[in-house]
Amino acid sequence: MTPTTLTRPATLGLPGHYYTDAAIFAQELNTLWRSTWQFVGRVEDLQRPGDYLTSILGAEPILVIRVTDGSLRAMHNVCPHRGARLLDGQGNCGLLRCPYHSWTYDLEGNLLGVPQQNLFPGLDKTAIHLLAARVETWGGFVFVNPDPDGESLSSYLAGFPDYLLAYSHAYEDLREVDRWSYEEAINWKLIVENYVEDYHFTTAHAESLKFFDFKGIRSLPTGRHTQIYVPYADPELDEAGQRRSKPEPMSYQGYIFPNLMVNTAGDHVSVFRVLPLDALRTRTEVIMYQTPAQMETTPLDLAELRANFNRVMEEDFAVCRLLQAGVGSRAYQVTQLAEERELGIAHFHQVLSEYLGTP
């Protein structure tokens, strides 16, 4: 018997194996995650010389440290001797000491000392440094590009933050008030695609996000990124239905390629950081910020806020799990994308193709 051939119409989107294939995931690590600007922390985390934080950008261990002249330095968190990780977490140090063989480096990554240096005839310490990365800031947010020769942050952001400035609070004044994360058996791209489209809101979030005017949402591709204007159904009322002390006309939201989402509210700002663990697992961090003025005038009930976020995030993860379950089917296809409501997906795929090539 001749096997039946599945006839498909012309498709949009990515092939299903892009959401499951370890080889595609490895290609992503070697291209976009090594050459894009990614959020790692806040300036207030790095106030004194020696203050540092660490992060993993794709598969690249990175450290950011405040050096003695007051500037920030970003370096690959890898000892040039044998590749051991130098620092973990966040803290303060006077120098960098490898935990494996005690090679030491100054705060700028220059090699200072090698135990039993006589074992390395001809070693030129001045020629050994930690590999640099690029670090810059916007609005108090610290961004790192693992590629030391990459473009500037302002060029990379391509004007994305400009519309955020309509928010009535200064981003430089934000301070972290809460943080938690979710880990799901979902490819990171499905989580991004779900964020940059609002076509699912009336189905998945009809009750949980009813304070937004779904019909008024507009997405605007900007460079590699997507600005998302989300008006309130009633600008005078907050998410809990309470009267706003200072009404905001909308929630300024958006996606910064490859893995950061920004969301403003009248009394806080939240960011989502999407961290791919492998082709089939993703951790999503949620970080809450308030300015001192917001803390004073509208202190958050953090337990209630987290519960509300858990509800919305579970609604999103539930549909993403359905997508993940479907991409392996021989019937999987994307034949249509809504012109406005799914515009962000088409743009995301276009940007991906610049790094990965056309599927």
Side-chain angles (χ1 to χ4, degrees):
M1 180 181 293
T2 303
T4 300
T5 301
L6 181 67
T7 301
R8 306 186 189 185
T11 63
L12 302 172
L14 301 175
H17 73 276
Y18 269 55
Y19 303 97
T20 60
D21 193 330
I24 294 294
F25 183 73
Q27 185 182 359
E28 293 168 351
L29 293 180
N30 289 326
T31 54
L32 67 95
W33 294 99
R34 286 183 170 173
S35 59
T36 53
W37 285 94
Q38 296 160 57
F39 162 69
V40 297
R42 293 279 301 173
V43 170
E44 59 268 17
D45 298 329
L46 303 161
Q47 296 184 7
R48 301 173 298 146
D51 282 353
Y52 68 86
L53 59 82
T54 63
S55 189
I56 305 292
L57 306 187
E60 294 291 343
I62 295 291
L63 68 88
V64 181
I65 195 163
R66 180 79 66 182
V67 299
T68 52
D69 68 2
S71 63
L72 293 177
R73 289 289 298 262
M75 295 170 282
H76 290 253
N77 190 11
V78 176
C79 179
H81 173 216
R82 294 276 299 282
R85 191 79 53 86
L86 294 166
L87 295 173
D88 285 307
Q90 186 172 332
N92 183 275
C93 63
L95 52 78
L96 308 177
R97 184 185 302 277
C98 178
Y100 194 11
H101 298 101
S102 290
W103 284 35
T104 56
Y105 305 84
D106 65 20
L107 300 185
E108 297 189 357
N110 302 306
L111 181 61
L112 295 178
V114 175
Q116 303 179 69
Q117 187 171 333
N118 61 296
L119 298 176
F120 301 89
L123 175 67
D124 179 6
K125 290 190 295 184
T126 65
I128 298 177
H129 316 271
L130 302 187
L131 180 63
R134 293 200 67 166
V135 58
E136 296 186 39
T137 66
W138 179 87
F141 294 99
V142 179
F143 289 83
V144 170
N145 186 339
D147 181 0
D149 301 316
E151 65 187 299
S152 69
L153 177 63
S154 61
S155 172
Y156 182 81
L157 291 178
F160 172 90
D162 294 350
Y163 92 116
L164 294 176
L165 298 177
Y167 186 51
S168 60
H169 300 272
Y171 294 92
E172 289 82 0
D173 294 340
L174 294 174
R175 297 294 181 266
E176 182 178 328
V177 295
D178 201 6
R179 177 191 296 241
W180 67 93
S181 64
Y182 309 88
E183 188 169 319
E184 292 285 339
I186 300 168
N187 182 274
W188 71 276
K189 295 185 291 296
L190 291 175
I191 294 174
V192 170
E193 291 172 16
N194 181 73
Y195 179 86
V196 297
E197 66 109 307
D198 58 276
Y199 186 44
H200 71 285
F201 276 28
T202 54
T203 302
H205 305 308
E207 290 299 318
S208 59
L209 295 181
K210 62 183 178 182
F211 48 83
F212 288 141
D213 173 13
F214 295 163
K215 293 183 179 180
I217 298 174
R218 294 293 180 268
S219 296
L220 176 64
T222 303
R224 300 171 178 88
H225 324 294
T226 302
Q227 299 172 343
I228 306 174
Y229 299 74
V230 185
Y232 290 103
D234 183 346
E236 298 292 326
L237 300 179
D238 65 15
E239 289 85 340
Q242 302 298 314
R243 187 66 53 183
R244 295 176 187 273
S245 58
K246 182 183 289 187
E248 294 282 346
M250 68 176 65
S251 174
Y252 301 95
Q253 302 184 15
Y255 164 64
I256 299 176
F257 185 87
N259 68 330
L260 184 66
M261 294 90 166
V262 181
N263 317 280
T264 72
D267 55 3
H268 69 274
V269 172
S270 63
V271 302
F272 306 154
R273 182 163 57 169
V274 178
L275 303 172
L277 303 177
D278 58 37
L280 296 172
R281 289 187 307 132
T282 303
R283 178 179 300 117
T284 303
E285 288 185 346
V286 178
I287 311 173
M288 294 289 167
Y289 299 98
Q290 283 190 301
T291 68
Q294 289 172 324
M295 294 178 194
E296 181 177 353
T297 60
T298 53
L300 297 176
D301 182 333
L302 294 178
E304 180 181 0
L305 184 67
R306 187 180 293 203
N308 291 337
F309 266 80
N310 284 343
R311 177 185 178 186
V312 176
M313 297 297 280
E314 174 54 30
E315 290 169 348
D316 283 325
F317 290 139
V319 294
C320 287
R321 292 185 202 110
L322 296 177
L323 293 173
Q324 188 69 60
V327 294
S329 168
R330 67 195 299 245
Y332 175 75
Q333 57 189 315
V334 178
T335 57
Q336 298 291 328
L337 287 173
E339 285 190 1
E340 291 187 8
R341 300 305 178 197
E342 295 177 302
L343 174 63
I345 295 178
H347 182 62
F348 174 56
H349 290 170
Q350 179 181 344
V351 175
L352 272 177
S353 71
E354 297 173 6
Y355 289 89
L356 305 180
T358 303

